[in-house]
Amino acid sequence: MTKIQQAGELFAAIVHTPFGALGIRTGGAVITELVYLPASFDEKAPQDPVAAEAAAQVLRYCDDSDYRFHLPLAQVGSEFQRKVWQTISAIPRGEVRTYGEVAKHVGSMPRAVGQACGANYFPLVVPCHRVTGAQGLGGFAGSDDRNGFTLNVKRWLLAHEGLREYAWQQTTLL
C-alpha cells in the first residue's frame, strides 16, 4: 500500500475536482474536516450518507459557483476562530476582503485572522479563499508555499467565482 493509499484511508470520501481533490472526514452525522489534496490522490467513494451528501454538494459547487453549501459541520475551533469563520462566511461570492478588513470587523489583528483562516476545518464551505492580502493574493490553507498547490487552489476558486484578476500572481522570483 502506497503512502497516498494509506492517507486515503483517513477520509470517508475523496472527490476529484478541477483544482485537485478534496478529502472529506466525517464523524457520526457531521463533517469533521475537509482537506485540499493533490490530484494524485485516488477518488474514494463515500463511506457514509454524510460523506455522500458532502461529495455531491462539492461537485455542485464546482459546476455552479453560486451554489450554497448546506452541510452539518462539527462544532470546532475557538470562539475567536468561529467569529472569524462566521465573518468570512458572509463574504458574497465574487467578492474578497483583506485580512485587515476582516480583522477590523472582528476587533483583532490581520495576523490573527490569517491564523484563523489557516485553522479552518471546512475550506470551501467556510470560504477563506475570499480573504486576500492587502497587496495581492495572500496565503492560503496555512501554507507558506507562495506559488504552490494551495495557492493554485485559491486562484482557481477565486477565478471560478468570477475574480479573474487573481488567476495568476507569482509572488516570488524563481
Side-chain angles (χ1 to χ4, degrees):
M1 182 177 280
T2 69
K3 286 186 179 187
I4 288 178
Q5 289 170 325
Q6 289 172 340
E9 295 300 314
L10 298 172
F11 300 103
I14 298 175
V15 180
H16 279 184
T17 66
F19 54 80
L22 190 75
I24 301 167
R25 291 186 177 139
T26 61
V30 297
I31 304 295
T32 58
E33 188 174 22
L34 301 173
V35 180
Y36 292 123
L37 302 169
S40 57
F41 276 74
D42 292 334
E43 196 159 30
K44 180 178 181 179
Q47 304 297 299
D48 59 60
V50 175
E53 183 59 27
Q57 289 190 34
V58 166
L59 294 175
R60 277 185 245 157
Y61 168 80
C62 289
D63 287 339
D64 177 9
S65 64
D66 286 324
Y67 181 77
R68 292 187 177 263
F69 290 95
H70 303 283
L71 292 170
L73 304 178
Q75 292 297 309
V76 294
S78 69
E79 183 178 334
F80 172 74
Q81 288 170 333
R82 290 190 305 271
K83 186 175 182 181
V84 169
W85 299 337
Q86 182 178 20
T87 299
I88 290 166
S89 293
I91 300 171
R93 182 206 58 80
E95 296 183 22
V96 296
R97 302 291 183 272
T98 67
Y99 294 99
E101 289 170 328
V102 174
K104 186 174 183 179
H105 183 81
V106 299
S108 185
M109 301 298 289
R111 184 176 300 274
V113 168
Q115 290 170 340
C117 284
N120 180 2
Y121 286 79
F122 312 110
L124 204 58
V125 176
V126 176
C128 284
H129 59 275
R130 296 180 189 157
V131 183
T132 64
Q135 303 299 315
L137 194 57
F140 191 55
S143 175
D144 60 1
D145 182 0
R146 306 307 295 165
N147 296 305
F149 169 71
T150 58
L151 281 181
N152 285 334
V153 171
K154 185 173 186 172
R155 288 180 185 103
W156 188 91
L157 293 171
L158 291 172
H160 179 58
E161 294 182 355
L163 295 164
R164 307 248 182 256
E165 64 268 28
Y166 294 100
W168 179 252
Q169 292 181 352
Q170 185 170 341
T171 56
T172 61
L173 296 176
L174 300 178

